[in-house]
Amino acid sequence: EVTDIGAFFSTFPVTLDGEPPLKKKRVEAGFPGSRGLFDKWRAAQQKLRRHHLMTKWSKQRPRLDQVQSFLRRSGWSTNCIPAEEVVRRWVPPSTGQEEQDVLHYVRDQNWTGLIITESQKDGAGRGVFATRDFNQGSHICDYHGRVISASEGRRIMESLKEGEGSYIFFFKTANKDLCIDAQAEHCQCHPQLTTFGRLINHSAKNFNVKCVVAKLAGLAEPTLLIKATRDICAGEEILIDYGVRRRSFGGEGMDLPWL
């Protein structure tokens, strides 16, 4: 019997609108007798749904009929959060608490509501997709990697072989030219994870996120947070404007299909 929760969640991703994997599907996927994993999946989805509902109304406590109406439209037929609980437990968002949550996500790289799969964009390879709705201004994830000097980043760029992808993100802060080196798929601090930020694809016209520099208390280096520039629906690909055009770098981008 397979009891690895990581393998189970990889086979059955926890999404906002997904149906719990019933016994037949679990057995077919090689998880016989996995009731404990099934219960953990349901608990993880409930946590995801509870967070979504608690943060959906940011201005004032929602009315019971508002929550009930949203739940009916959501189509969640099982594993639901009672509308009465949402109204009873709602509290105004705390800026300090939000920063603590973001710090926790950055340190542990346990961002929720995202999945890595093949992109629909020609030549793009893998991409990052939303598995739940995100409101405009929400923190989606961070661009995670080593913070190094821009000059070191340029040396890495120059050493790349022809056709090799670049995962170097240059930025400025406090009059310093820096960059994030996410060239390695698995960073030293999270060797078991493929982080989301480095796999977000480019779109100059249809981007839905942007990168902002943040200084989080408790972290020595600045963080590049990726925020939603508009409301994002579950199922959408997360896209960012790299700031590169076909005629950038003396026209070297003219033959890049992802542009």
Side-chain angles (χ1 to χ4, degrees), residues 189-236:
C189 49
H190 303 91
Q192 306 302 319
L193 297 176
T194 296
T195 55
F196 294 113
R198 68 190 298 277
L199 293 178
I200 295 177
N201 285 315
H202 163 81
S203 177
K205 295 182 178 179
N206 300 314
F207 65 90
N208 48 23
V209 296
K210 66 178 180 180
C211 218
V212 296
V213 181
K215 187 65 179 74
L216 299 177
L219 295 182
E221 302 290 354
T223 301
L224 287 184
L225 293 177
I226 296 175
K227 299 180 69 174
T229 58
R230 60 169 175 78
D231 290 346
I232 299 173
C233 296
E236 282 192 68

Side-chain angles (χ1 to χ4, degrees), residues 16 19 21 30 40 46 58-59 67-68 93 97 113 119 124-125 131 134 153 161 166 169 176 192 207 209 212 258:
L16 197 67
E19 290 294 326
K40 289 181 179 180
Q46 278 212 347
S58 59
K59 302 294 184 182
V67 182
Q68 290 172 332
Q97 183 59 50
S119 174
T131 60
F134 287 96
K161 299 176 182 178
S166 167
F169 199 120
K176 292 182 179 180
Q192 306 302 319
F207 65 90
V209 296
V212 296
W258 55 267

Side-chain angles (χ1 to χ4, degrees), residues 32-51:
S34 53
R35 179 70 196 193
L37 295 177
F38 173 76
D39 290 340
K40 289 181 179 180
W41 191 100
R42 283 174 54 86
Q45 187 188 58
Q46 278 212 347
K47 181 179 179 181
L48 183 64
R49 288 180 170 179
R50 183 174 286 106
H51 178 268

Side-chain angles (χ1 to χ4, degrees), residues 47 57 80 82 102 137-138 161 179 210 225 228 249 254 257:
K47 181 179 179 181
W57 293 275
C80 296
V102 170
S138 298
K161 299 176 182 178
C179 77
K210 66 178 180 180
L225 293 177
F249 311 111
M254 293 298 288

Side-chain angles (χ1 to χ4, degrees), residues 74-93:
S74 73
W76 300 345
S77 57
T78 59
N79 210 25
C80 296
I81 308 300
E84 294 81 1
E85 177 186 336
V86 176
V87 175
R88 184 178 70 254
R89 297 182 58 180
W90 183 90
V91 293

